[in-house]
Amino acid sequence: MIPPEVIQAISVATLPCFIYHGAAAKKRAALALSLLDRCFFPVKACPEPDIVRTVLAAGCHLDLCSAGDVEIAIAVGCAGDHWKLTTAQADNTLLRRICSAGALLDADSLEQALRWKTCGGTVCGLRITANRPKALYGPKFGVPARDIAVAASWLAAAGVRLEGLHLHDQHANLTPLEFATRLAENLAEVDCAVLRDCRYVNIGGSWPMRHGNPASVENLRHALGILRNGLAALGFQGALWAEPGRWIVEPCGYWAARVAALKAHPLGEKHRVVVLDTNTPIPCRPSLAPFVVLRDGNLLKEPSSLTCDIFGSSNTALDSIGVAVRLPHLALGDMVVSLGQGAYTRSLIPPFNERERPAAIVL
Ligand SMILES: Cc1ncc(COP(=O)(O)O)c(C=O)c1O
């Protein structure tokens, strides 16, 4: 469940820390690539330069959404023709920069796509706003599918060819089939002539991860096959692209911190409140993935007879790391390791309470 090299690294590290398993990230990136014609790794999911280099080595391109992401792409030596920008907030400086690097743009609005033209762009994709979006940001991103044809004609008049469609919504709690069905339903609302002329459809990220477990490659392959057939029936003959972040890197990260306080729990003696010596991300969601305990560098193998609520050390009401987690009898100073913390955890930890962000170690 936790590789021995990760245990070894944690046992000699200064805690709290995050350990990222590079070989695992490379393998999962290759799996994602096996399902797609092109895979863009969203840098924001895990901006550790060594992880970004690793997924590039597996064959991914990069999904960027800020000037800071561009800096990372440059720092890891990724060529501009492997970048793709998607953001609601791109000023002309950023657009000119990515255009001159030879990058792609999935424009967030007609207005952004028209500015892309003034910055040197001649082709771009357009992001679609999901119908009844599941993502918390609702209608923030994209253009409704029914307005895409009109946008395409405005773009053509301005000298910009619409070459792709981009659709990202929240699918984490769906099955692969539900995921593919939602995508297909949204894409079917785009004017057929526009869809037919596109060279790619980018289905974004947030791939199914029910109960924290990434959907299997087999189930995704089946579901994406159905999506491909559905698009083909509408006349689309282009490529299927995507940008899964969490699905690739979440299982590849480990968050280790020492037990700083152990307290009685109102539910009784088989329960504990465990406070770890770490600051926590905002928002901090209790992890659905397993936890393990290390003592003196070894996995504590006693039966998991305690039910623990695990918190970080922030003086807020928002630092719950795990709820009702089954753990062996642990002691002050033991190391608790939370698995499945490779995406959006360390990067969302603020310097709240004047605490340093935990270190990152890439194996
Ligand atoms: C446009 C876009 N693409 C891809 C992603 C990556 O999503 P995930 O890491 O959940 O797969 C996000 C995340 O917010 C996104 O907004």
Side-chain angles (χ1 to χ4, degrees):
M1 191 160 64
I2 174 167
E5 60 273 28
V6 172
I7 296 182
Q8 165 64 20
I10 291 171
S11 62
V12 294
T14 302
L15 300 195
C17 73
F18 282 79
I19 306 278
Y20 299 96
H21 198 286
K26 189 167 182 181
K27 198 167 154 194
R28 293 197 59 75
L31 289 176
L33 273 155
S34 75
L35 296 166
L36 301 164
D37 301 311
R38 191 179 291 184
C39 179
F40 296 88
F41 177 72
V43 166
K44 60 178 169 283
C46 184
E48 282 312 310
D50 282 336
I51 289 294
V52 179
R53 279 190 199 94
T54 296
V55 298
L56 284 171
C60 288
H61 292 215
L62 295 182
D63 169 39
L64 312 176
C65 63
S66 67
D69 282 357
V70 172
E71 294 304 330
I72 292 177
I74 293 170
V76 300
C78 178
D81 62 359
H82 277 45
W83 306 352
K84 194 269 302 173
L85 184 78
T86 318
T87 171
Q89 175 264 330
D91 61 18
N92 287 354
T93 308
L94 180 57
L95 291 182
R96 267 188 228 107
R97 192 166 181 204
I98 66 149
C99 188
S100 60
L104 300 174
L105 173 74
D106 277 332
D108 186 62
S109 62
L110 175 60
E111 181 275 334
Q112 191 184 82
L114 292 171
R115 272 194 301 114
W116 174 241
K117 167 73 181 164
T118 69
C119 297
T122 53
V123 289
C124 71
L126 260 186
R127 182 167 179 173
I128 302 173
T129 312
N131 216 345
R132 296 183 304 282
K134 288 189 185 294
L136 282 180
Y137 50 69
K140 175 177 175 187
F141 296 103
V143 176
R146 62 176 180 275
D147 298 339
I148 293 283
V150 173
S153 52
W154 276 97
L155 286 175
V160 182
R161 186 166 56 80
L162 179 64
E163 64 164 354
L165 297 169
H166 175 282
L167 173 60
H168 168 89
D169 193 19
Q170 176 60 250
H171 308 288
N173 292 327
L174 303 186
T175 64
L177 271 180
E178 290 166 342
F179 165 55
T181 305
R182 259 185 75 77
L183 292 168
E185 283 170 0
N186 274 283
L187 289 160
E189 287 185 23
V190 176
D191 182 278
C192 274
V194 174
L195 186 63
R196 253 196 320 268
D197 285 348
C198 283
R199 79 177 174 104
Y200 68 85
V201 163
N202 182 337
I203 57 169
S206 188
W207 285 16
M209 307 257 311
R210 294 182 102 193
H211 313 296
N213 299 318
S216 74
V217 174
E218 296 69 33
N219 290 347
L220 283 168
R221 194 181 307 287
H222 175 68
L224 294 179
I226 292 173
L227 174 64
R228 281 182 195 265
N229 290 340
L231 291 174
L234 295 170
F236 174 71
Q237 294 180 328
L240 190 66
W241 295 356
E243 45 205 30
R246 200 181 281 281
W247 190 90
I248 293 179
V249 281
E250 187 169 278
C252 310
Y254 303 80
W255 180 11
R258 284 192 191 278
V259 178
L262 260 179
K263 300 176 55 178
H265 194 290
L267 288 180
E269 60 181 28
K270 291 202 176 320
H271 297 252
R272 292 287 185 283
V273 170
V274 180
V275 179
L276 301 181
D277 184 16
T278 181
N279 40 357
T280 46
I282 293 184
C284 185
R285 296 194 185 90
S287 176
L288 300 174
F291 288 75
V292 297
V293 181
L294 305 182
R295 183 174 296 164
D296 303 326
N298 297 308
L299 208 53
L300 206 57
K301 290 195 175 134
E302 288 158 26
S304 295
S305 48
L306 289 177
T307 302
C308 303
D309 287 338
I310 307 175
F311 297 88
S313 307
S314 303
N315 284 317
T316 70
L318 299 170
D319 68 347
S320 165
I321 298 174
V323 172
V325 178
R326 301 286 292 168
L327 291 180
H329 267 275
L330 64 181
L332 282 182
D334 284 347
M335 301 169 177
V336 171
V337 186
S338 173
L339 280 63
Q341 294 286 6
Y344 306 104
T345 308
R346 181 172 180 273
S347 53
L348 285 171
I349 295 183
F352 186 66
N353 287 154
E354 294 68 55
R355 294 178 70 105
E356 291 277 309
R357 179 188 271 181
I361 298 163
V362 181
L363 302 184

